Amino acid sequence: MSRNNVKIGSHVRPKTGSGVLIIQVEGADEEGEVRSGRARGPRPEKPRTEAMATLAQTQIGWQAYEAAGIISREQLEMLYCYDKQPIPTQVALFMQRGEAYVELFVVILQNVNKEETVQYVLALLDDILVAKPDLGLYWHELLRNSGAEVDPFAPIMRLLGRTNGFILEKAALVLGRILSLKTHTPGVEVEEVSEADEVTQRHLLTFTEWIIHQLTTAHSLEIQDCPKLHYALSAMMALLASDTGRAAVMEVNGLNVIVSMLTRATASMTQALSPSTVQLLYQLVFCLWCLSYNKEIAELMASGELKVIPQLVHVANAVTKEKVTRVCLMTLKNLLGQGSGNANDQMVQAGVMKVLSSLGGRKWADEDIAVDIEELTEALEVDVASLSTFDVYKSEVLSGSLEWSPSHKSDKFWKENVGKFSESSYLLVSTLVSLLKSEATGAVGLAVACHDLGCFIQHHPDGRKIVAGFGAKAPLMQLLTHKDADVQKHALTCTQKLMVMNWEMLSK
């Protein structure tokens, strides 16, 4: 038996800490929690809760299926013992005869098309998998012990083609929970790939491809417009609870797809975020958090190519929902020190210290958030101290939050560092111009941006041409009539430097 597993009854459960997170994900809604490495995903939204309550009151005519020869008399008795029992009792019964119950429910899902019955069985399965996730290992055991003659995954996989939203959502969640698990039979070498392993791997690949298809073809990010997207994301959250699931998602380019969706979501963010957008951001960052538990994936996230870290900092700063803040901070914590420390530099340059300072001033219902803020701040203070003055300035500009820090008005700073502004095709200059155009930039930020552009024109031999090339003239002219006098003053000075061939004439 693998040293990372412990024997429980007749099946194997992966230990927490061996690449398996304890995660419960229950559908798309506005609420959800992530605490201390354990996660409880979104609870069902109100309409879904009402549907579940109605379904729970449903009386299924099990005896009709026995009469039709779909289930045996023994299986009917098993259902009578199981149905309408409290969940702890159902879990105990499942523990006693796990494979038999899996085979029973598989037979029903395979041979019964009535939506009410299918919904009811999926709800039963989801309930026990939420209560005790490792019960999903019985699906793997049935497949292996039957020599792959009984495929307990196939009937649920077929349900992904249904149009009923409840069936689709629950089928995806159940599959996410059970396919994320990986068994290891004592005495069997890991290198020995059985037919059962091949069947499981085939289903896992098909399922992850289905998830990615829903993400890449979504015509809208709103739950009401594209519910399949949110069903797929909830399923991915469950699947990513293990290294098995994480590896499967990476095989279908999952990280890039998640980051691409996050970019799309943040690009459309406004000050008044809809509950649907907040939920989407939570689901996407939650997936990144799960992926960050794999060191190799964390290294990719920290490489800078995908711009994961700046987006996490942006979301943490822009979204006030506590569960979103929490999962952003936990992901950033997992990325500390990754990429040979490059992740830390990216965090600082993205303005995370100001964000942490702002978040630190808030009161949190979850005390773990305050701990995360403190730990991130302490870890990054060393990196901040090692940064040069220009690095600090660059970090401030790229964060979009400008203040009258000492470097702005230091003639020495501009003389020594103006040449560095050519980096990344004059990214800092274009960012300053963008801040002038943004309605989100406050009066202080506008004044500082005008001042800095003026200093760049003054100290760089081609400053006038470069600034004009980024389209600074129009926003500067508009700022001449800004209601803030300081903004007017610095906009006027910058405009004069931009318009006058010899700026030194302005002082005469």
Side-chain angles (χ1 to χ4, degrees):
M1 180 179 297
S2 168
R3 65 181 182 180
N4 287 331
N5 297 302
V6 291
K7 189 77 171 175
I8 296 183
S10 61
H11 63 281
V12 179
R13 180 182 71 184
K15 284 184 179 179
T16 303
S18 62
V20 178
L21 301 175
I22 300 174
I23 298 180
Q24 297 180 354
V25 184
E26 303 177 21
D29 79 325
E30 301 177 18
E31 298 300 328
E33 296 183 3
V34 183
R35 294 178 185 273
S36 303
R38 295 172 177 254
R40 185 180 70 195
R43 297 185 293 272
E45 58 190 352
K46 189 173 181 181
R48 186 68 68 203
T49 302
E50 292 174 355
M52 288 290 290
T54 302
L55 193 61
Q57 301 302 317
T58 302
Q59 297 292 332
I60 303 295
W62 302 118
Q63 67 279 3
Y65 299 127
E66 189 261 343
I70 294 175
I71 60 175
S72 67
R73 183 66 188 177
E74 180 185 0
Q75 289 175 323
L76 178 62
E77 293 298 329
M78 289 172 63
L79 282 168
Y80 284 151
C81 290
Y82 188 92
D83 195 16
K84 305 302 181 186
Q85 295 297 322
I87 290 179
T89 301
Q90 292 178 341
V91 169
L93 289 168
F94 222 96
M95 291 284 290
Q96 293 171 13
R97 303 188 64 186
E99 288 185 48
Y101 271 108
V102 170
E103 189 166 10
L104 166 58
F105 291 127
V106 164
V107 166
I108 294 173
L109 292 177
Q110 190 167 4
N111 296 283
V112 177
N113 290 320
K114 189 177 181 181
E115 285 194 345
E116 184 180 60
T117 302
V118 174
Q119 289 177 350
Y120 193 86
V121 170
L122 289 174
L124 288 176
L125 295 179
D126 194 44
D127 282 344
I128 62 164
L129 290 170
V130 168
K132 193 170 181 58
D134 57 2
L135 291 180
L137 288 166
Y138 283 119
W139 272 260
H140 298 267
E141 289 190 359
L142 177 58
L143 178 66
R144 183 180 295 277
N145 293 338
S146 70
E149 289 186 8
V150 178
D151 183 350
F153 302 107
I156 311 177
M157 289 289 293
R158 282 196 289 270
L159 295 177
L160 296 178
R162 291 288 191 97
T163 56
N164 180 290
F166 186 95
I167 291 177
L168 187 57
E169 178 183 14
K170 288 298 180 183
L173 277 172
V174 169
L175 285 168
R177 300 188 204 286
I178 60 181
L179 285 173
S180 70
L181 301 172
K182 185 175 182 180
T183 60
H184 177 61
T185 304
V188 177
E189 293 298 326
V190 177
E191 289 77 8
E192 297 179 18
V193 179
S194 66
E195 186 177 351
D197 294 327
E198 292 177 352
V199 171
T200 303
Q201 200 60 35
R202 185 168 63 248
H203 285 313
L204 185 58
L205 176 60
T206 302
F207 182 55
T208 50
E209 287 177 340
W210 177 86
I211 290 175
I212 296 301
H213 178 72
Q214 307 312 314
L215 270 58
T216 55
T217 60
H219 63 277
S220 170
L221 301 182
E222 295 295 321
I223 292 177
Q224 61 271 24
D225 297 330
C226 197
K228 280 188 177 182
L229 166 64
H230 293 269
Y231 300 159
L233 279 172
S234 293
M236 183 183 280
M237 291 162 69
L239 186 63
L240 291 174
S242 71
D243 267 331
T244 297
R246 291 189 276 271
V249 169
M250 291 300 291
E251 282 186 17
V252 291
N253 201 34
L255 176 60
N256 293 65
V257 173
I258 294 169
V259 174
S260 177
M261 285 210 68
L262 184 62
T263 303
R264 179 180 170 188
T266 54
S268 60
M269 280 171 51
T270 61
Q271 290 184 341
L273 296 175
S274 69
S276 179
T277 301
V278 172
Q279 177 62 21
L280 177 71
L281 291 169
Y282 171 68
Q283 290 175 307
L284 291 169
V285 178
F286 189 105
C287 289
L288 290 175
W289 171 61
C290 292
L291 286 168
S292 69
Y293 276 88
N294 179 287
K295 183 172 176 57
E296 292 182 0
I297 302 174
E299 289 285 330
L300 286 174
M301 293 169 66
S303 67
E305 294 180 9
L306 296 176
K307 295 182 171 54
V308 173
I309 290 173
Q311 292 199 69
L312 289 172
V313 175
H314 176 50
V315 173
N317 185 47
V319 182
T320 58
K321 192 72 173 179
E322 192 162 299
K323 67 177 184 179
V324 179
T325 302
R326 185 188 306 124
V327 78
C328 282
L329 295 177
M330 293 176 72
T331 308
L332 290 172
K333 278 181 61 179
N334 281 358
L335 295 178
L336 282 171
Q338 299 294 336
S340 301
N342 183 44
N344 296 28
D345 292 342
Q346 289 182 61
M347 292 181 203
V348 173
Q349 291 175 10
V352 74
M353 301 306 288
K354 288 185 179 180
V355 173
L356 292 173
S357 177
S358 175
L359 295 176
R362 288 173 54 185
K363 293 184 178 179
W364 303 97
D366 180 4
E367 60 185 19
D368 288 345
I369 294 181
V371 175
D372 289 339
I373 293 171
E374 182 179 353
E375 290 179 355
L376 273 167
T377 301
E378 290 180 358
L380 292 170
E381 279 178 344
V382 176
D383 297 274
V384 173
S386 65
L387 291 175
S388 67
T389 305
F390 180 76
D391 290 330
V392 175
Y393 173 83
K394 181 179 179 180
S395 171
E396 181 183 342
V397 173
L398 295 180
S399 74
S401 301
L402 299 180
E403 296 177 358
W404 287 114
S405 52
S407 58
H408 297 283
K409 295 187 176 182
S410 169
D411 194 54
K412 179 182 177 182
F413 168 82
W414 287 102
K415 288 180 179 179
E416 292 179 350
N417 294 289
V418 70
K420 297 178 182 178
F421 277 69
S422 62
E423 295 176 359
S424 302
S425 302
Y426 294 95
L427 174 61
L428 291 179
V429 178
S430 65
T431 302
L432 289 170
V433 175
S434 296
L435 291 173
L436 298 184
K437 300 176 182 179
S438 173
E439 295 181 359
T441 308
V444 173
L446 290 171
V448 175
C450 290
H451 171 272
D452 286 7
L453 286 171
C455 289
F456 177 76
I457 294 172
Q458 174 181 339
H459 291 279
H460 196 285
D462 294 319
R464 182 172 172 271
K465 179 180 178 181
I466 294 168
V467 172
F470 283 110
K473 181 178 178 180
L476 282 170
M477 297 297 287
Q478 291 180 350
L479 292 176
L480 293 176
T481 57
H482 194 277
K483 61 182 180 180
D484 185 272
D486 204 35
V487 174
Q488 289 183 26
K489 181 182 75 172
H490 288 287
L492 177 60
T493 302
C494 185
T495 301
Q496 290 174 330
K497 290 181 178 180
L498 183 65
M499 302 295 287
V500 177
M501 293 295 293
N502 186 356
W503 67 267
E504 293 180 342
M505 294 291 294
L506 294 175
S507 62
K508 296 182 180 180

